[in-house]
Amino acid sequence: MNTKRDKRPRRPRKSVVDRFFARGHSWLTRADSQDVVISSRVRLARNLATHPFPERCTPEKRKEIWDTLRTVVLGLPELEKAISVEMTALTELDKLFLLERHLISRDFMETGEGAGLVALHDGRVSIMVNEEDHVRLQVVLPGLELTSAWEAASRLDDGIDAAVGYAFSSRLGYLTACPSNVGTGMRTSVMVHLPGLVLSQEMEPIVRGLTKIGLTVRGLRGEGSEAAGNIFQISNQVTLGEGEGEIASNLSQIVQEVVEHEVNARMRLWQKNPVILQDHILRAYGVLSHARLLTTKEALDFLSSLRLGVILGILDGVGINDLRKLMEECQPAHLQKAVGRRLSSRERDFERARLVREVLRPEEEAGGATPREVE
Amino acid sequence: MNTKRDKRPRRPRKSVVDRFFARGHSWLTRADSQDVVISSRVRLARNLATHPFPERCTPEKRKEIWDTLRTVVLGLPELEKAISVEMTALTELDKLFLLERHLISRDFMETGEGAGLVALHDGRVSIMVNEEDHVRLQVVLPGLELTSAWEAASRLDDGIDAAVGYAFSSRLGYLTACPSNVGTGMRTSVMVHLPGLVLSQEMEPIVRGLTKIGLTVRGLRGEGSEAAGNIFQISNQVTLGEGEGEIASNLSQIVQEVVEHEVNARMRLWQKNPVILQDHILRAYGVLSHARLLTTKEALDFLSSLRLGVILGILDGVGINDLRKLMEECQPAHLQKAVGRRLSSRERDFERARLVREVLRPEEEAGGATPREVE
């Protein structure tokens, strides 16, 4: 399926253990945010001064807002190649797919006429029109790039504001449907991979510390979700009394500290007994490369261990990006879109396991060939 | 390590799934006891008419009994190549090793002077002298062979009786230290592998039924032990009022029924959804072939699944006997004997995982080569 992956030249194979000990362990010497931070996200909530909040609008008014904003947004130079689609035109499966891509919210799935999405194909920029607010503008960048994400969002924001005029109070800032967003209307968040802190049971004090300074820590799927795959979202809660640039750079600094904690935890685990980490990662590989049924949670958890294995140099040949892509493709709607039809839960587990094996052991799946270690 | 295994000619490799579906599933058409019954055991408890029970003897008297019985037993034609050893001459590790081989009892490990073992190297015949009784004679045969085991035990028993004269009452039968053994002094048992009944949660009614007709069902390590690897011992409890041959043949018949239940359970699991069974077995293979640490319980459980996989034709190239041997070698004292020194629990888990990988993926362990499916 990923032909780029298959074209990689074959190197002479070494035992996993040999490779494990031969590595220089460069990760021990630096706290690289790229090993820990998956993505950075900035979201702005905005409303037109000329219309009531979406919930107070008639369907006709909402349609009017959608038409106006759609035209304005697609007219921005950065978004001229964006797709735009109304929610009512989408199937349930399509909506779930967009939800799994983090392009729409769960609430947005239920909205009626006049609610629509404008987004770039790569998902870096997306705008929900008539969710809770008229405009929900989101910029997502890989790695720890909150300031760049803020700058990109700010540029787009200025473009829309210039065309439509936002509801703004000199005392309160941007006006939003929910008081928790009033002010900057901004939420910044990063998605971080913290297997070291989870394995060494150090997450609790970290979460407590982050909460104390006004941040929220959640699982992959947002509020109330479990942290499948040891992936967490850290986001700001405070929108009043802080400048937007300040919010982004503050969160960046704090995340950099979390990165250092995570890297230290990995290092301590490694130094205490590398075989425990090695066992953890290779078992995950063993299950992923052999299971015939995998739940989403299992797949994410084990792939998360593989991600750590790649960073530690225990697993080779499969890249961080392959794994990130696989974690996305493993999700229910992604699987069903790929197969082209609705699948039962059991069928999804089967397809998920097949997909994972296809990526981890393409030769075995082709039939006849020898399965191989991730090389 | 097992050179025979390595000399097997290489066949062109097929995907595990291909092999899985290509098979004729001969196991579906017959209830073969060899697929379920691992071994059959007959044990006789006997005492000399001339001496008090071991517990009532002085060390000198026990020594005298040991010397007498040792000479008599080694004089029997079947046992002229047997080894004989006094318990006091053995290290703790040696005793644990013999316990894991089912050649001595846990109580026997604690005995003092005059307690000894005579046994054939292959473990088919073993005699504990001065355990609870003067003579504990055991014959173990692979598969469902209770009658043959009984006949072999009976011949040896006659030979010893002729030389030393057993304590026997025409009213009660053979006299034994514990009243539960008085009469035939015989215990018959079979070791059975019941993954089908365990996976389909049908063990409970089977155990209840067997208990009702006077049989005992226990885990691998005897009384109070958990059934690691889905391996159970079924044995008779009643020793009075039944002939010895009758006990053996009754148990045989009942075990044959258990075999049919097990094979039916496997068949139902298979027909209901083969992928569940396949997933169960291949995950076990995935973990065993990759883990760097394995507890005894884990190893036995997963190897038990592999055994089922071989019988179902899902796994190939590793034989039932390789697995039986591996299950034995995975045990703590066996591992330590192989390494030649005492090992901590963590060290044993490491050695156990290494040993299992060595058998399942010899090429990977040799370093540099491609790991392969069990082929």
Side-chain angles (χ1 to χ4, degrees):
Chain A
M1 33 157 281
N2 186 332
T3 51
K4 213 168 127 225
R5 193 180 287 125
D6 293 333
K7 279 180 195 151
R8 187 176 294 124
R10 296 282 155 71
R11 275 165 295 162
R13 279 153 192 173
K14 276 191 168 185
S15 114
V16 183
V17 185
D18 288 347
R19 287 198 302 257
F20 186 54
F21 289 110
R23 287 277 173 136
H25 312 311
S26 61
W27 63 273
L28 279 178
T29 60
R30 68 198 151 85
D32 189 340
S33 65
Q34 303 306 310
D35 287 351
V36 177
V37 183
I38 296 168
S39 61
S40 302
R41 188 171 75 107
V42 167
R43 184 270 284 154
L44 300 175
R46 300 288 186 257
N47 288 279
L48 310 194
T50 49
H51 289 73
F53 294 134
E55 208 184 309
R56 300 284 175 107
C57 283
T58 59
E60 291 70 36
K61 278 278 170 205
R62 280 204 300 271
K63 194 90 178 66
E64 190 182 302
I65 296 165
W66 163 241
D67 287 335
T68 306
L69 281 169
R70 186 178 162 279
T71 312
V72 166
V73 166
L74 290 174
L76 298 172
E78 295 95 329
L79 293 176
E80 59 185 8
K81 288 186 177 165
I83 53 155
S84 76
V85 62
E86 231 177 316
M87 281 303 103
T88 50
L90 296 176
T91 64
E92 194 64 17
L93 185 57
D94 284 332
K95 291 182 195 172
L96 275 171
F97 179 84
L98 294 172
L99 178 71
E100 289 174 359
R101 278 278 163 104
H102 300 276
L103 295 178
I104 65 172
S105 62
R106 195 167 282 282
D107 285 344
F108 202 52
M109 291 177 67
E110 315 300 333
T111 49
E113 256 183 294
L117 172 74
V118 181
L120 287 179
H121 280 97
D122 63 8
R124 291 189 176 212
V125 176
S126 59
I127 296 162
M128 286 186 283
V129 173
N130 288 325
E131 204 245 22
E132 192 178 272
D133 298 295
H134 295 143
V135 174
R136 283 288 176 103
L137 165 61
Q138 171 180 282
V139 174
V140 181
L141 295 177
L144 185 52
E145 294 291 351
L146 276 173
T147 303
S148 307
W150 152 241
E151 285 164 2
S154 182
R155 260 195 316 278
L156 295 165
D157 192 40
D158 290 345
I160 302 170
D161 194 11
V164 298
Y166 286 145
F168 184 82
S169 142
S170 57
R171 193 171 58 86
L172 294 171
Y174 293 100
L175 302 179
T176 55
C178 177
S180 69
N181 289 312
V182 168
T184 62
M186 172 155 118
R187 179 181 280 272
T188 48
S189 65
V190 289
M191 198 175 280
V192 284
H193 183 224
L194 306 177
L197 291 169
V198 172
L199 277 176
S200 54
Q201 300 180 307
E202 293 172 48
M203 265 313 282
E204 214 200 296
I206 300 275
V207 171
R208 228 183 300 123
L210 292 174
T211 309
K212 209 178 266 174
I213 55 173
L215 299 176
T216 310
V217 183
R218 299 183 295 193
L220 180 61
R221 295 253 70 77
E223 283 179 61
S225 75
E226 218 187 328
N230 302 321
I231 291 171
F232 298 85
Q233 266 182 33
I234 303 175
S235 58
N236 78 318
Q237 255 175 338
V238 182
T239 53
L240 275 169
E242 284 190 89
E244 291 158 322
E246 204 186 336
I247 294 176
S249 91
N250 278 353
L251 184 58
S252 272
Q253 277 175 34
I254 292 160
V255 169
Q256 191 57 50
E257 279 178 46
V258 174
V259 167
E260 273 161 37
H261 278 293
E262 168 64 20
V263 171
N264 285 338
R266 291 176 186 180
M267 186 161 63
R268 275 195 304 279
L269 281 171
W270 179 276
Q271 285 171 342
K272 222 163 119 195
N273 210 328
V275 82
I276 293 177
L277 262 183
Q278 205 186 359
D279 182 61
H280 175 81
I281 289 156
L282 291 172
R283 274 179 186 233
Y285 176 74
V287 175
L288 286 177
S289 58
H290 288 86
R292 258 55 188 169
L293 295 170
L294 281 174
T295 65
T296 309
K297 172 84 166 66
E298 277 182 316
L300 293 179
D301 281 342
F302 290 135
L303 286 168
S304 146
S305 301
L306 254 52
R307 187 180 190 278
L308 180 61
V310 170
I311 289 166
L312 297 185
I314 293 174
L315 290 178
D316 216 347
V318 68
I320 293 291
N321 280 336
D322 295 333
L323 293 175
R324 189 196 48 70
K325 195 157 165 275
L326 197 49
M327 282 172 132
E328 205 164 72
E329 291 169 345
C330 269
Q331 299 183 87
H334 275 72
L335 278 175
Q336 293 175 86
K337 290 288 283 181
V339 172
R341 63 180 182 88
R342 301 295 302 224
L343 299 171
S344 70
S345 165
R346 169 69 51 75
E347 287 173 322
R348 288 200 300 273
D349 291 352
F350 184 82
E351 285 301 323
R352 187 176 292 115
R354 196 193 50 67
L355 172 68
V356 169
R357 292 199 310 281
E358 202 171 86
V359 173
L360 296 183
R361 306 196 310 174
E363 293 171 19
E364 194 256 354
E365 288 312 301
T370 311
R372 51 165 192 162
E373 195 65 67
V374 189
E375 62 143 24
Chain B
M1 33 156 284
N2 187 332
T3 51
K4 213 168 126 226
R5 192 179 290 126
D6 293 335
K7 278 179 196 153
R8 186 176 294 124
R10 296 282 156 73
R11 274 166 297 160
R13 280 156 192 172
K14 277 191 167 187
S15 112
V16 184
V17 186
D18 288 346
R19 287 198 302 258
F20 186 54
F21 290 110
R23 287 279 173 135
H25 311 310
S26 61
W27 62 272
L28 280 178
T29 61
R30 69 198 150 83
D32 190 341
S33 65
Q34 304 304 312
D35 286 352
V36 178
V37 184
I38 295 168
S39 62
S40 302
R41 187 172 75 107
V42 167
R43 184 269 282 153
L44 300 174
R46 301 289 187 255
N47 288 278
L48 309 194
T50 49
H51 289 72
F53 293 133
E55 208 185 309
R56 301 285 176 104
C57 283
T58 59
E60 292 71 33
K61 278 280 170 202
R62 281 205 298 273
K63 194 89 177 70
E64 192 181 301
I65 296 165
W66 162 242
D67 287 337
T68 306
L69 279 170
R70 186 178 162 281
T71 312
V72 167
V73 166
L74 290 174
L76 297 172
E78 293 95 330
L79 293 176
E80 60 184 8
K81 289 187 176 162
I83 53 152
S84 75
V85 63
E86 233 177 314
M87 281 303 102
T88 50
L90 295 176
T91 63
E92 195 64 16
L93 185 57
D94 285 332
K95 290 181 196 173
L96 275 170
F97 179 83
L98 294 173
L99 178 71
E100 289 174 359
R101 279 277 163 105
H102 299 276
L103 294 177
I104 65 171
S105 62
R106 194 165 283 282
D107 285 344
F108 202 53
M109 291 177 66
E110 316 299 333
T111 50
E113 254 183 294
L117 171 75
V118 182
L120 287 179
H121 279 97
D122 63 10
R124 291 190 175 213
V125 177
S126 59
I127 296 162
M128 286 187 283
V129 173
N130 288 325
E131 204 246 22
E132 191 179 272
D133 298 295
H134 295 144
V135 174
R136 283 285 178 104
L137 166 61
Q138 170 180 282
V139 174
V140 181
L141 296 177
L144 184 52
E145 293 291 351
L146 277 173
T147 303
S148 306
W150 152 240
E151 285 164 2
S154 182
R155 262 195 315 278
L156 295 164
D157 191 42
D158 290 346
I160 302 170
D161 193 13
V164 299
Y166 287 145
F168 184 84
S169 142
S170 55
R171 194 170 57 87
L172 293 172
Y174 293 101
L175 303 179
T176 55
C178 176
S180 70
N181 289 313
V182 168
T184 62
M186 173 156 119
R187 179 182 279 270
T188 49
S189 65
V190 289
M191 197 174 279
V192 284
H193 182 224
L194 306 177
L197 290 170
V198 171
L199 278 176
S200 54
Q201 300 181 305
E202 294 173 48
M203 265 313 282
E204 213 200 296
I206 300 276
V207 171
R208 229 184 298 124
L210 293 173
T211 308
K212 209 178 264 176
I213 57 172
L215 298 175
T216 310
V217 183
R218 298 183 296 194
L220 180 62
R221 296 253 68 77
E223 283 178 62
S225 74
E226 219 186 327
N230 301 322
I231 291 170
F232 298 85
Q233 265 181 34
I234 303 174
S235 58
N236 79 317
Q237 256 175 337
V238 182
T239 53
L240 276 169
E242 284 189 88
E244 291 157 321
E246 204 185 339
I247 294 176
S249 91
N250 277 353
L251 184 58
S252 271
Q253 279 174 33
I254 292 160
V255 169
Q256 190 58 50
E257 280 177 47
V258 173
V259 167
E260 275 161 37
H261 278 291
E262 167 64 20
V263 171
N264 285 337
R266 292 176 186 180
M267 186 161 63
R268 274 196 304 277
L269 282 171
W270 179 275
Q271 286 172 340
K272 224 164 117 194
N273 209 329
V275 82
I276 294 177
L277 262 181
Q278 205 185 358
D279 182 61
H280 175 82
I281 289 156
L282 291 172
R283 274 178 187 233
Y285 176 74
V287 174
L288 287 176
S289 58
H290 288 85
R292 260 52 189 172
L293 295 169
L294 281 173
T295 66
T296 309
K297 171 84 166 66
E298 278 182 316
L300 293 179
D301 280 343
F302 290 135
L303 287 169
S304 148
S305 301
L306 255 51
R307 187 181 190 277
L308 181 60
V310 170
I311 289 165
L312 297 185
I314 293 174
L315 290 176
D316 217 348
V318 67
I320 293 290
N321 281 334
D322 294 333
L323 293 175
R324 188 196 49 70
K325 195 158 163 273
L326 196 49
M327 282 171 131
E328 205 165 71
E329 290 169 347
C330 269
Q331 298 182 88
H334 276 72
L335 278 175
Q336 294 175 85
K337 289 289 282 182
V339 172
R341 62 181 182 89
R342 300 296 301 224
L343 300 171
S344 70
S345 166
R346 168 69 52 78
E347 287 173 322
R348 289 201 299 274
D349 290 352
F350 183 82
E351 285 300 324
R352 187 176 293 116
R354 196 192 50 66
L355 172 68
V356 169
R357 292 199 310 281
E358 202 169 86
V359 173
L360 296 183
R361 306 197 309 174
E363 292 171 20
E364 194 256 354
E365 287 314 300
T370 310
R372 50 164 192 162
E373 195 65 67
V374 189
E375 60 142 31

